[in-house]
Amino acid sequence: EAQVTQNPRYLITVTGKKLTVTCSQNMNHEYMSWYRQDPGLGLRQIYYSMNVEVTDKGDVPEGYKVSRKEKRNFPLILESPSPNQTSLYFCASSFGGAGELFFGEGSRLTVL
Amino acid sequence: GENVEQHPSTLSVQEGDSAVIKCTYSDSASNYFPWYKQELGKGPQLIIDIRSNVGEKKDQRIAVTLNKTAKHFSLHITETQPEDSAVYFCAASIYGGSQGNLIFGKGTKLSVKP
């Protein structure tokens, strides 16, 4: 089954404790992206990757890191999480950067 | 860069009525306009899209219209049903562009009352 898989789905952590949200897709997509969704703000792009070893900042990259060492994986790293990073995070992938995006189920992160 | 405005932010309709959600975009180079539906607890899912060489596209009860001159596009849902209740996002991008990022509107929460 074609899908984008994110882990963990739910996480409560404390300020400053490094964490990684993994994202994997099995559709051989070149393009992958991370979004955060906050009430009233819609979907805001954090980082995206057009292909392996190619990443770029989106609209809200501060406090986040990403890497794209393999085509299928695109982890989101929070080196020192802060409460303002409490949010619902979505990973997405597509064949082309602007084609149909396939989203994961989301990861709800709470930073205390 | 591209900016997408979406209205209204919330919309409540009676089952069987029509619902219309409107979006405007700023970059005249944008040529791809998808609509995504997000059900509770799930990720957004593409429901319909339109390219700039087309003025209207229909898929059963859903239709999208595009006015390139005015830089706005709309989603029309006819004969609404309770299962249409969800958050809807419009988006715009330059399809095939080197940057190729979808820019999303802030979303519309549609409630269909039985």
Side-chain angles (χ1 to χ4, degrees):
Chain A
E1 181 190 353
Q3 59 186 5
V4 177
T5 304
Q6 298 178 222
N7 280 295
R9 295 287 315 278
Y10 302 91
L11 179 64
I12 300 174
T13 190
V14 294
T15 299
K17 186 176 182 182
K18 180 180 179 180
L19 68 91
T20 298
V21 186
T22 63
C23 175
S24 180
Q25 51 93 5
N26 62 0
M27 294 168 279
N28 202 35
H29 286 164
E30 290 92 2
Y31 180 90
M32 297 186 75
S33 182
W34 277 102
Y35 295 87
R36 61 177 288 173
Q37 184 175 15
D38 302 288
L41 297 178
L43 292 162
R44 294 182 293 167
Q45 191 177 49
I46 303 170
Y47 270 95
Y48 65 97
S49 169
M50 297 294 284
N51 215 324
V52 175
E53 301 292 1
V54 180
T55 62
D56 247 317
K57 296 178 181 179
D59 298 319
V60 288
E62 295 78 20
Y64 304 95
K65 287 175 62 176
V66 292
S67 68
R68 186 92 182 273
K69 293 184 170 55
E70 305 166 281
K71 197 172 187 179
R72 62 182 293 128
N73 296 323
F74 191 44
L76 179 70
I77 303 157
L78 285 73
E79 293 270 2
S80 182
S82 62
N84 64 11
Q85 292 179 296
T86 292
S87 187
L88 178 59
Y89 291 87
F90 286 101
C91 180
S93 71
S94 71
F95 275 116
E100 178 180 359
L101 272 176
F102 293 83
F103 284 83
E105 295 274 278
S107 295
R108 184 166 293 282
L109 171 65
T110 302
V111 183
L112 301 175
Chain B
E2 178 64 276
N3 182 51
V4 177
E5 300 280 344
Q6 182 172 348
H7 299 280
S9 56
T10 60
L11 179 60
S12 182
V13 300
Q14 241 5 82
E15 182 176 359
D17 287 349
S18 295
V20 180
I21 303 170
K22 298 182 179 182
C23 289
T24 59
Y25 62 99
S26 60
D27 190 345
S28 57
S30 290
N31 58 8
Y32 176 64
F33 307 94
W35 287 87
Y36 285 79
K37 175 183 181 182
Q38 184 181 24
E39 296 177 345
L40 197 61
K42 296 190 175 182
Q45 193 167 13
L46 180 72
I47 55 171
I48 193 167
D49 57 14
I50 191 168
R51 307 279 169 93
S52 61
N53 58 346
V54 175
E56 184 176 4
K57 185 176 178 181
K58 286 184 180 179
D59 183 2
Q60 300 183 332
R61 296 186 296 107
I62 293 173
V64 57
T65 59
L66 171 65
N67 183 325
K68 285 172 54 181
T69 303
K71 288 191 277 189
H72 67 70
F73 56 111
S74 300
L75 177 71
H76 304 253
I77 305 174
T78 59
E79 301 172 20
T80 54
Q81 300 167 4
E83 52 264 39
D84 293 328
S85 295
V87 178
Y88 292 82
F89 292 98
C90 63
S93 74
I94 302 172
Y95 193 86
S98 57
Q99 187 173 5
N101 284 328
L102 276 175
I103 304 300
F104 287 89
K106 288 185 166 58
T108 296
K109 183 176 182 181
L110 173 64
S111 300
V112 179
K113 298 180 180 178

